[in-house]
Amino acid sequence: QTGTVAANPEQYDQAYICPVTIGSQTLHLDFDTGSSDLWVFSNLMPSSEVDGQTEFNTNSAGATKKDGYTWSISYGDGSGASGVVYADTVNVGGATATSQAVEAATSVSSEFTSDTGSDGLLGLAFSSINQVKPTPQTTFFDTVKSSLEAELFTADLQSNGPGSYTFGYIDSSKYTGSITYTAVDNSQGFWGFTAGGYTVGGGGSNSTGTIGSAIADTGTSLMYLPTAAVQSYYSQVSGSSYSSSQGGYIFPCSASLPSLTVSIGGHGFVVPGSNFNYSPTGSGNTCFGGLQENTGIGFTIFGDVFLRAVYAIFDETQGSPRIGFAAQ
Ligand SMILES: O=C(NNC1=NCCC1)c1ccc(Br)cc1
């Protein structure tokens, strides 16, 4: 099917990298529903900031410089990049944008230099938060959506193995049961929605509160919830504690992790306990939790830890945007 691309997880499922053809080059980009810029490592960068990544060749025949256009972006984790802007043909699994803004980096932060599996990002949030000056550019999805069978894209992220993104259609083999849709508030440029109650473990409903407004962000590795929900979760994990040195909740790697059920659109979505063992801390046979507090971020983020448990549909077919989730 046109518009299908593999999503390959980096180590610890930290991010999902997809092959994208830009002109005659194939680069591997981190698809990110939490930002709206398509930027790539380029030949304009100092070699000290490149560690094996493929560089977009700004001198290629198909690349047209947008003179006077620049960009600079910083992400929730403190990483960032900046550069200049070209127009080129961008092809994702057959879905082709003939004149897409390709933001060529002239500098990137150390997080990107050391992320050797990623040649840049492909933003899939709303174009209202694109960071190109003097004129914001459209995201790949916004550029191509009118040419798609349907104005939507989907994310099927898997643990430790290839998943996929589709553009223009829903792959019914990727989910079970029905899709639950809920309204999206894109006033801040994100795929924002409202989440309801939560239950820790498969027992009865032991949720005491509701989660509230949240965003679906494939570019964020973990799940960040309000403190009450996070403390309720780790109270069920023996040996867990908040480690200020590690910057989050940790637990013995042998701990038994409960599932977390979150109500969205009136349907309970179960995140299996295994999703919450993110990575070894590197000391004392403790592991870093895939669920952390949203304090300091100011948003509740349903990142890859949650998105791996569902099939997600980012849908603009109805005029107003909506997001759909189905069990997988
Ligand atoms: O930056 C964000 N998402 N994408 C990426 N993170 C790291 C590289 C890409 C992000 C978006 C919204 C909020 Br609220 C917090 C963080």
Side-chain angles (χ1 to χ4, degrees):
Q1 261 272 21
T2 299
T4 311
V5 68
N8 300 301
E10 293 187 321
Q11 186 181 32
Y12 305 130
D13 299 333
Q14 184 253 338
Y16 288 82
I17 308 300
C18 309
V20 175
T21 304
I22 304 175
S24 59
Q25 294 180 278
T26 295
L27 280 74
H28 293 84
L29 305 184
D30 176 358
F31 281 25
D32 178 19
T33 61
S35 67
S36 304
D37 287 59
L38 194 173
W39 71 261
V40 290
F41 277 67
S42 86
N43 62 298
L44 304 175
M45 291 172 61
S47 56
S48 60
E49 294 183 2
V50 184
D51 183 6
Q53 288 86 354
T54 298
E55 297 176 342
F56 172 62
N57 175 8
T58 62
N59 298 311
S60 60
T64 306
K65 189 164 192 311
K66 294 183 75 78
D67 281 327
Y69 286 69
T70 59
W71 59 280
S72 178
I73 194 165
S74 57
Y75 296 100
D77 62 357
S79 61
S82 60
V84 293
V85 185
Y86 289 75
D88 205 341
T89 299
V90 175
N91 178 328
V92 176
T96 301
T98 49
S99 181
Q100 171 66 38
V102 177
E103 301 172 33
T106 52
S107 181
V108 305
S109 67
S110 59
E111 293 86 351
F112 289 112
T113 301
S114 55
D115 187 357
T116 55
S118 170
D119 304 324
L121 264 75
L122 188 142
L124 291 168
F126 292 83
S127 298
S128 58
I129 56 171
N130 175 268
Q131 296 298 299
V132 171
K133 292 189 166 78
T135 315
Q137 303 296 297
T138 54
T139 65
F140 169 77
F141 176 59
D142 271 357
T143 306
V144 298
K145 66 185 181 185
S146 60
S147 71
L148 299 175
E149 281 173 46
E151 295 194 4
L152 62 84
F153 64 92
T154 76
D156 169 38
L157 304 183
Q158 296 292 325
S159 182
N160 206 24
S164 59
Y165 286 90
T166 70
F167 291 86
Y169 74 98
I170 292 170
D171 184 340
S172 56
S173 73
K174 299 294 183 194
Y175 66 92
T176 60
S178 59
I179 299 171
T180 298
Y181 289 97
T182 195
V184 162
D185 166 12
N186 64 354
S187 60
Q188 308 211 40
F190 301 123
W191 289 91
F193 64 97
T194 300
Y198 57 89
T199 301
V200 177
S205 73
N206 55 17
S207 69
T208 52
T210 59
I211 290 167
S213 64
I215 69 165
D217 181 8
T218 58
T220 290
S221 310
L222 308 186
M223 191 171 183
Y224 295 89
L225 296 183
T227 301
V230 177
Q231 289 179 352
S232 169
Y233 181 83
Y234 286 109
S235 73
Q236 307 287 323
V237 180
S238 47
S240 66
S241 64
Y242 182 87
S243 164
S244 45
S245 60
Q246 294 288 345
Y249 282 89
I250 62 173
F251 45 80
C253 294
S254 58
S256 157
L257 296 169
S259 62
L260 180 75
T261 301
V262 178
S263 175
I264 300 169
H267 186 280
F269 293 95
V270 180
V271 184
S274 55
N275 282 31
F276 295 113
N277 185 338
Y278 179 63
S279 65
T281 62
S283 77
N285 198 23
T286 55
C287 279
F288 194 79
L291 175 62
Q292 297 295 341
E293 295 182 344
N294 70 356
T295 37
I297 300 175
F299 279 81
T300 290
I301 304 178
F302 282 50
D304 298 334
V305 162
F306 174 81
L307 292 168
R308 266 198 292 287
V310 297
Y311 184 56
I313 298 91
F314 299 80
D315 183 333
E316 293 194 23
T317 63
Q318 309 294 300
S320 301
R322 65 178 183 173
I323 193 165
F325 296 109
Q328 62 172 333

